[in-house]
Amino acid sequence: MTLRSAVTTITHNIPDFLRDPAVALIGERCYTILIYEFDITHEECLKYAISKGLGFGIVLGGSIVKIPQILKILSTKSVRGLSLPAYILETASYGISLAYATRQGFPFSTYGENFFITIQNVIITLLILSFTEPKGASYAGIGGKPLSAPPAKGRRVVTGAAIMATAGLFLTSHTFCPPGTLAVLQAATIPLSLASKAPQILENRANRSTGNLSAFAVFSALLGCLARLFTTKQEVNDPLIFYGFAGAAVLNIVLALQMVLYWKADGGPTEILPPPPTPKFATEEKVLTNSVQVGVEEGGDVGRRWSRKLD
């Protein structure tokens, strides 16, 4: 018995609860060729199956790719090293691409991660607005916390959420954003996507550190972009989307290299510095003042005793 005949003995008897998801993923024709007949030399169906498998994996990865970044911000209550302009531009780029792919009717496996990443980017953008201290806040002491939380901080978060919600409604509306306008916006996502990485790259370079930037998010985004080049070519073949992923992949490589280059700078936990020691002259002055006060009090007691004797 040959290997193929042994395998087909199994594949011809696959139960429906396993067969149906596979057919839904790669189609009846490719399921019959690749699985039922076990002909893995069929190039067209093999590439299609690999593309579908990668797409499914990217969508699953995209559903959690920014979760470590969100948890890191919440645990440290700090957005040090994160660029607000970078996240605004990236969120806009993902949102436009999501609306374009949805309205074009592309398979969900070719853009599903955009849905999850857009939601996660919105959360991170609002967290940056929330944890960034407004200009003009007053602080208590060296390294102290703000004495007050200006209402402008809360208004900034609410305004940001309202703007993003309005933009989402605009992109999904056929009336306010007709197909021609959406196509122009999709073309604009190529420079927009490239520009979204530039502020973060420049900030990393200026700080010589990646701050609170999540390594998991950076490397996952790089792998996702590289895989998307293959899946887009196989299933969609839309140059607007393909070159957008190509440009993003190049800049994600730069971010990944910065993560490696500045790894040692961010290796240890953030050190909480103790308050500065009290200068020696201040200590001596305090001791002298206390001595004078004690002397005055003692002198007052002596005076009262002499007064009682004279009486």
Side-chain angles (χ1 to χ4, degrees):
M1 179 182 289
T2 63
L3 175 63
R4 182 175 181 181
S5 59
V7 173
T8 53
T9 302
I10 300 173
T11 58
H12 287 182
N13 296 284
I14 293 178
D16 289 343
F17 74 90
L18 294 177
R19 178 184 179 279
D20 292 344
V23 171
L25 184 64
I26 63 175
E28 185 74 43
R29 174 172 171 268
C30 285
Y31 173 85
T32 302
I33 294 172
L34 294 177
I35 298 177
Y36 189 81
E37 298 297 338
F38 194 60
D39 181 9
I40 57 175
T41 61
H42 195 282
E43 184 178 350
E44 180 185 350
C45 279
L46 185 61
K47 286 183 178 180
Y48 184 73
I50 292 173
S51 176
K52 282 293 186 182
L54 284 174
F56 186 71
I58 294 170
V59 172
L60 285 180
S63 65
I64 62 168
V65 66
K66 298 295 182 81
I67 298 297
Q69 183 69 77
I70 294 172
L71 295 177
K72 195 171 185 179
I73 294 173
L74 292 175
S75 63
T76 61
K77 298 190 183 303
S78 168
V79 290
R80 183 179 67 88
L82 298 182
S83 170
L84 178 60
Y87 269 96
I88 291 175
L89 293 174
E90 185 177 302
T91 303
S93 177
Y94 273 109
I96 293 170
S97 295
L98 175 62
Y100 180 78
T102 303
R103 289 173 56 174
Q104 289 290 107
F106 293 154
F108 186 74
S109 61
T110 63
Y111 70 89
E113 78 280 5
N114 281 7
F115 171 75
F116 297 107
I117 293 176
T118 300
I119 293 175
Q120 293 168 71
N121 270 356
V122 167
I123 295 172
I124 293 173
T125 303
L126 295 178
L127 285 174
I128 293 174
L129 290 172
S130 177
F131 286 111
T132 301
E133 295 301 335
K135 294 181 179 179
S138 56
Y139 290 82
I142 299 175
K145 294 182 178 180
L147 293 174
S148 60
K153 186 175 180 179
R155 286 200 301 268
R156 205 168 45 180
V157 175
V158 173
T159 302
I163 291 173
M164 286 186 280
T166 304
L169 292 174
F170 170 77
L171 291 172
T172 55
S173 171
H174 290 265
T175 303
F176 295 105
C177 185
T181 302
L182 187 59
V184 173
L185 291 175
Q186 177 60 32
T189 60
I190 297 177
L192 194 63
S193 178
L194 300 180
S196 71
K197 301 291 187 299
Q200 188 65 67
I201 291 172
L202 294 175
E203 183 156 338
N204 293 345
R205 178 176 171 79
N207 297 334
R208 299 288 175 180
S209 165
T210 54
N212 251 14
L213 193 63
S214 169
F216 178 81
V218 170
F219 287 104
S220 296
L222 172 58
L223 294 176
C225 280
L226 294 176
R228 269 293 171 233
L229 292 175
F230 179 78
T231 62
T232 302
K233 194 71 174 175
Q234 289 299 315
E235 298 185 55
V236 178
N237 200 22
D238 188 318
L240 289 178
I241 295 179
F242 180 83
Y243 288 114
F245 281 122
V250 172
L251 293 183
N252 277 327
I253 290 174
V254 176
L255 280 173
L257 290 175
Q258 286 185 325
M259 291 296 300
V260 175
L261 182 63
Y262 300 136
W263 192 272
K264 290 184 179 180
D266 302 313
T270 303
E271 182 182 1
I272 301 177
L273 298 176
T278 305
K280 185 177 179 181
F281 68 87
T283 305
E284 293 174 351
E285 182 180 354
K286 183 177 181 181
V287 172
L288 181 60
T289 303
N290 291 338
S291 299
V292 171
Q293 289 176 348
V294 170
V296 171
E297 291 176 358
E298 290 178 350
D301 292 338
V302 172
R304 284 194 294 272
R305 285 199 296 270
W306 277 107
S307 298
R308 285 195 294 272
K309 285 184 179 181
L310 289 174
D311 292 341

